[in-house]
Amino acid sequence: MFEAHIISLLVTLLTESMGMLIFSIAAGGIKCARSRNDIQKNVITALVVNVVTHTVFWYTLPLIKLDHVIRLYGYETLIVIIEGLAYRILCKIPLSNAIALSFLLNLVSFLIGIS
């Protein structure tokens, strides 16, 4: 189980940090990332937040006694909200963009992870 967690975490970190990098570079035009420091801060934020949410998700999901699909989608929804709020607060991304970005990054990471 530990090896699967590490592989899953690495896929998540690579996918979501690269997504944040692409967003931050592209978002320079919409004032979400104004400088190289903003871009670096956004990517580091994505990495740290994902280490925390992924680890909590991985080890607490099996403890909840609900149908697996309900647990999975419930957790994913909670993670999108938590990461979106972190991007809003720490990266200064407008809330609607932060939630949409979190959803997109998590969707891509999820789809890569299940393939």
Side-chain angles (χ1 to χ4, degrees), residues 1-2 4-5 8 13 17 28 34 39 48 52-54 88 109 113:
M1 181 165 135
F2 182 72
H5 169 68
S8 179
L13 293 177
S17 64
R34 293 175 202 86
I39 293 168
V48 171
V52 172
T53 58
H54 191 275
R88 166 66 191 117
S109 177

Side-chain angles (χ1 to χ4, degrees), residues 24-44:
S24 296
I25 291 170
I30 59 171
K31 308 217 184 325
C32 293
R34 293 175 202 86
S35 68
R36 178 179 288 173
N37 288 339
D38 286 340
I39 293 168
Q40 290 173 343
K41 182 179 79 173
N42 290 359
V43 172
I44 290 169

